Each structure stands twice: as structure tokens, then as C-alpha cells.
């Protein structure tokens, strides 16, 4: 029983420390938004990937970086309507 509590406690700590890990009340939209933002941030952080996108889109690296930043605002579109129960 003690080990189960310890694992649960570690998981709660991890979820409070890192937003992208989610929690029990994370909606599908929030989880998907976190995944998209993590991917976009990774693309911006890896210089070679940024170069690849710039060449394939025939744009400057600064323009590609700007477009990725713009997409981070609402990567999955506007949030869905919340239902009041």
C-alpha cells in the first residue's frame, strides 16, 4: 500500500511541475493543444529542422520561426464550447 501511495505522490508532483503531462481532468482539446505546442517548440529549437522547413517552404528562417510562433497561439483552433452541467 505504501508503494502505491508513493507512486501516486510522485505522479502528482510531476503533473504539477510540468504542464504537458496532464492530469485526470485534462480534456482532449487541452492535451492535443499541449502536444502541438510541444512539437512546434521542438521544431523551433532544432536548428536543422528549422532550416529544412525554410528550404521546403522557400521562406526565410525568420519567417518560418515567426509562422511557428503564430501557430502556437491556437494550434488546434478556438477552444470548444464548455457545457454547463
Amino acid at each position: 500500500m505504501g508503494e502505491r501511495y508513493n507512486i501516486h505522490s510522485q505522479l502528482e508532483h510531476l503533473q504539477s511541475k510540468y504542464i504537458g503531462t496532464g492530469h485526470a481532468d485534462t480534456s482532449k482539446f487541452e492535451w492535443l493543444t499541449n502536444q502541438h505546442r510541444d512539437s512546434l517548440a521542438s521544431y523551433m529549437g532544432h536548428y536543422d529542422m528549422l532550416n529544412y522547413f525554410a528550404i521546403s517552404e522557400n521562406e526565410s528562417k525568420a519567417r518560418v520561426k515567426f509562422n511557428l510562433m503564430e501557430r502556437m497561439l491556437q494550434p488546434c483552433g478556438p477552444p470548444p464550447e464548455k457545457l454547463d452541467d
Side-chain angles (χ1 to χ4, degrees):
M1 181 67 181
E3 185 177 324
R4 179 184 290 173
Y5 176 75
N6 189 20
I7 291 172
H8 184 65
S9 158
Q10 289 175 356
L11 185 61
E12 282 182 352
H13 175 69
L14 183 70
Q15 290 169 343
S16 68
K17 189 173 180 183
Y18 301 108
I19 296 171
T21 55
H23 50 79
D25 297 328
T26 301
S27 69
K28 183 178 179 180
F29 177 79
E30 290 172 342
W31 183 82
L32 196 58
T33 300
N34 285 333
Q35 293 299 315
H36 280 262
R37 284 188 179 141
D38 286 347
S39 296
L40 293 171
S42 176
Y43 300 154
M44 288 178 55
H46 289 90
Y47 188 73
D48 292 333
M49 196 67 143
L50 194 63
N51 284 337
Y52 175 77
F53 288 147
I55 291 170
S56 66
E57 294 176 7
N58 197 24
E59 293 280 353
S60 69
K61 289 180 270 188
R63 173 57 65 181
V64 171
K65 208 171 200 179
F66 175 77
N67 289 340
L68 290 174
M69 286 293 285
E70 287 286 314
R71 286 176 53 192
M72 285 178 114
L73 291 176
Q74 287 188 338
C76 301
E81 297 286 326
K82 295 215 179 202
L83 298 175
D84 294 330
D85 290 333

